[in-house]
Amino acid sequence: MNLLKATAQLDKTHIKRIIHAIGTPSKTVYPPSEDSFLMLQALSSVEMNGLTVCDVGTGTGILGLFCAIQGADVTVTDIDETALQATLAAAKRLGIVVEPILSDVFASVNGRFDLALFNPPYLPGKEVSDSAVDGGPDGLTLTRKFLKDLPSQLKENGHGLLLLSSLNNPRKVISQYREFSFEVLATKQIFFEELQVLDLRLR
Ligand SMILES: C[S@@+](CC[C@H](N)C(=O)[O-])C[C@H]1O[C@@H](n2cnc3c(N)ncnc32)[C@H](O)[C@@H]1O
């Protein structure tokens, strides 16, 4: 992927430093991809300084590191220990601190946050052979877990950023969670699908 093209609308100084610190991820860790960059695009409209942020399914840590480098107090979670180790190594290279928690979505996370992020595994399929990308039969198993627990993980006036694909019928999904209002912060057409980043707030 052409990283400069993918990050065209972003603050390249931070992104370049983070990509450099991440280096080449191990094969099991999801590498920064189009969906990660769309999340970064949405995140770049958020003033980070002083926020508490939970980056769920952090992978290489790209999203959480982007928040932390701008002054947010960041917790990163993943079901994959290797991903947390990769994130911690990158944080160390950047000279920043993030708190890692090995967790199934929010299951082992205590506390409430100003902002919770999730770029979930969303590919539909009968089998989950790669937990970084496979999201169960309709692709929404992890997204539903996130949406179910999000209200109890947010501070008052907190919000969530969630990536959805047209493969997951985003309008239908969100209509099933009436406790949230939502705004589409960023969209991108890639190959056979459209990606969207939703900003979710409790009504
Ligand atoms: C599509 S990748 C996104 C990685 C990174 N946030 C990014 O944007 O590049 C999804 C991540 O969710 C993690 N994951 C999968 N199942 C999970 C679960 N049950 N709880 C927490 N994280 C999970 C995967 O290990 C993977 O790192």
Side-chain angles (χ1 to χ4, degrees):
M1 183 195 309
N2 180 339
L3 287 183
L4 278 182
K5 200 172 162 199
T7 61
Q9 293 166 32
L10 296 171
D11 178 338
K12 293 203 188 73
T13 316
H14 289 320
I15 305 289
K16 275 184 184 169
R17 282 187 64 208
I18 293 167
I19 295 286
H20 183 71
I22 287 171
T24 306
S26 80
K27 278 189 182 155
T28 60
V29 179
Y30 187 77
S33 306
E34 297 280 6
D35 46 7
S36 324
F37 291 113
L38 194 66
M39 286 290 282
L40 288 179
Q41 188 182 318
L43 278 171
S44 59
S45 65
V46 180
E47 171 57 55
M48 288 292 167
N49 202 18
L51 289 192
T52 51
V53 175
C54 184
D55 176 19
V56 176
T58 195
T60 57
I62 184 162
L63 307 180
L65 295 170
F66 183 72
C67 301
I69 212 167
Q70 294 174 84
D73 179 358
V74 177
T75 298
V76 295
T77 84
D78 209 289
I79 197 89
D80 177 6
E81 176 87 51
T82 323
L84 295 178
Q85 284 166 5
T87 299
L88 285 181
K92 193 172 173 191
R93 286 182 208 114
L94 289 164
I96 55 180
V97 175
V98 294
E99 188 194 344
I101 301 179
L102 189 64
S103 180
D104 178 2
V105 191
F106 287 120
S108 305
V109 178
N110 292 317
R112 289 176 182 258
F113 303 88
D114 296 304
L115 176 61
L117 320 171
F118 196 22
N119 174 14
Y122 64 76
L123 292 182
K126 278 188 194 151
E127 288 176 17
V128 174
S129 55
D130 181 350
S131 65
V133 294
D134 295 331
D138 63 358
L140 291 168
T141 304
L142 282 309
T143 295
R144 283 203 198 87
K145 279 191 186 183
F146 178 80
L147 287 169
K148 177 175 156 288
D149 288 342
L150 184 61
S152 59
Q153 300 288 166
L154 291 179
K155 289 183 183 174
E156 202 179 343
N157 297 322
H159 61 127
L161 256 59
L162 172 67
L163 186 128
L164 288 174
S165 160
S166 51
L167 300 174
N168 305 141
N169 197 348
R171 298 255 157 206
K172 185 173 169 207
V173 176
I174 208 63
S175 71
Q176 292 165 346
Y177 292 85
R178 297 202 164 271
E179 60 270 49
F180 297 111
S181 65
F182 72 93
E183 185 187 346
V184 179
L185 286 189
T187 59
K188 180 153 189 152
Q189 187 71 40
I190 52 164
F191 305 115
F192 50 88
E193 61 179 329
E194 186 188 71
L195 304 178
Q196 293 189 346
V197 179
L198 299 187
D199 188 10
L200 301 157
R201 290 176 190 267
L202 283 170
R203 289 184 197 276

